[in-house]
DNA sequence: ATTACTGTAATAAAATATATTACAAACTTA
DNA sequence: TAAGTTTGTAATATATTTTATTACAGTAAT
């Protein structure tokens, strides 16, 4: 199962970018995705840690972007919400007496590192503004 | 959680490529990964379906490559074991009354399709032979 | 016949993701 | 200041997916 963190975070930011002057509530945002508001608040906590958004507590509280959408890239979001993209690992420790078992994870790591660089390069070129301009 | 199918399949094929003339048993292969032999047999069933390996039943049975390792690419394995790489989706249906909710999955799909092309291009250039040459 | 495999189904266990509940703390406005 | 609304966060429960295990019929070598 792959977590929806990236997609959820991107969805949140897209909504925020559409109303840059308003503080949107987690409940409102959750309604657009049909998920639980607590999940939204968790991702917002993460966004705040990275200074992408700012929140206001209390009545009429909510969250808004802390910087212009053109200065936020999908790579920023990727790095915040994903460890690394992989094609998976065999989850048990392989047999260290087997030359393949002993070394395959290193080779997989090298491969996956490459793949992540490619993805980062691609995402780096897409700003939140341009992503959300379609909506 | 991401499934280990790609990594397991690649591990299997790497072992087979090291002993192209022998029929290796699922138990032997499983021992190198420290996983259950039934999982190995399942991935081998998949490989057989794609004519990458051939098996022999009965005593001294097992599996070997059905074609030279240089003719198998990591992309072949990728396509056999992965649907598509994604950075995730929000798993519930989004609110169709929200312009963002209504359209975001299409945009994510476009993005993920791009990412998969990149990954395919990269994997296409790596043969099983060259991958396993390090071991 | 006996032994050692494959092939496959059915079930159980473990891991992870998501949902829900609960409530203190913060803040607004009347 | 009291009432109402929202964030922030922890704790727990449910759902989903992955991996492991068990079981056994079928196949082939000796």
């Amino acid at each position: 199962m792959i977590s929806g963190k990236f997609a959820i975070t991107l969805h949140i930011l897209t909504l925020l970018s559409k109303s840059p002057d308003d503080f949107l509530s987690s409940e409102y945002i959750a309604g657009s995705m049909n998920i639980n508001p607590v999940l939204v608040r968790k991702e917002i906590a993460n966004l705040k840690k990275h200074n992408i958004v700012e929140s206001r507590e209390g009545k009429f509280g909510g969250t808004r972007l802390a910087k212009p959408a053109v200065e936020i890239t999908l790579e920023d979001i990727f790095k915040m919400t994903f460890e690394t993209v992989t094609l998976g690992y065999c989850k048990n420790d392989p047999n260290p007496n087997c030359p393949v078992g002993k070394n395959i994870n290193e080779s997989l790591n090298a491969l996956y590192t490459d793949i992540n660089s490619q993805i980062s390069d691609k995402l780096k070129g897409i700003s939140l503004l341009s992503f959300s301009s379609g909506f």
Side-chain angles (χ1 to χ4, degrees), chain A residues 72-86:
Chain A
I72 302 168
T73 72
L74 298 202
E75 190 204 16
D76 297 330
I77 304 171
F78 175 57
K79 289 199 166 161
M80 257 181 267
T81 57
F82 242 87
E83 305 296 322
T84 50
V85 169
T86 80

Side-chain angles (χ1 to χ4, degrees), chain A residues 2-15 29 32-33 35 40 43 47 74 77-78 81-82 128 131:
Chain A
I2 218 170
S3 141
K5 283 167 72 120
F6 174 82
I8 291 171
T9 300
L10 184 51
H11 196 136
I12 293 169
L13 289 175
T14 300
L15 288 171
I29 295 170
S32 169
M33 285 181 266
I35 64 171
V40 173
E43 296 316 318
L47 285 164
L74 298 202
I77 304 171
F78 175 57
T81 57
F82 242 87
L128 174 60
F131 180 83

Side-chain angles (χ1 to χ4, degrees), chain A residues 10-80:
Chain A
L10 184 51
H11 196 136
I12 293 169
L13 289 175
T14 300
L15 288 171
L16 296 181
S17 78
K18 290 297 180 188
S19 306
D21 300 322
D22 301 324
F23 286 83
L24 303 184
S25 77
S26 61
E27 186 149 10
Y28 171 81
I29 295 170
S32 169
M33 285 181 266
N34 196 23
I35 64 171
N36 196 288
V38 175
L39 282 185
V40 173
R41 301 209 279 267
K42 270 182 190 156
E43 296 316 318
I44 284 174
N46 190 28
L47 285 164
K48 280 170 63 181
K49 205 165 64 190
H50 290 88
N51 302 304
I52 307 291
V53 304
E54 58 195 3
S55 293
R56 200 165 57 178
E57 297 190 348
K59 192 169 188 178
F60 301 117
T63 302
R64 70 174 178 189
L65 291 183
K67 53 165 119 175
V70 72
E71 292 176 20
I72 302 168
T73 72
L74 298 202
E75 190 204 16
D76 297 330
I77 304 171
F78 175 57
K79 289 199 166 161
M80 257 181 267

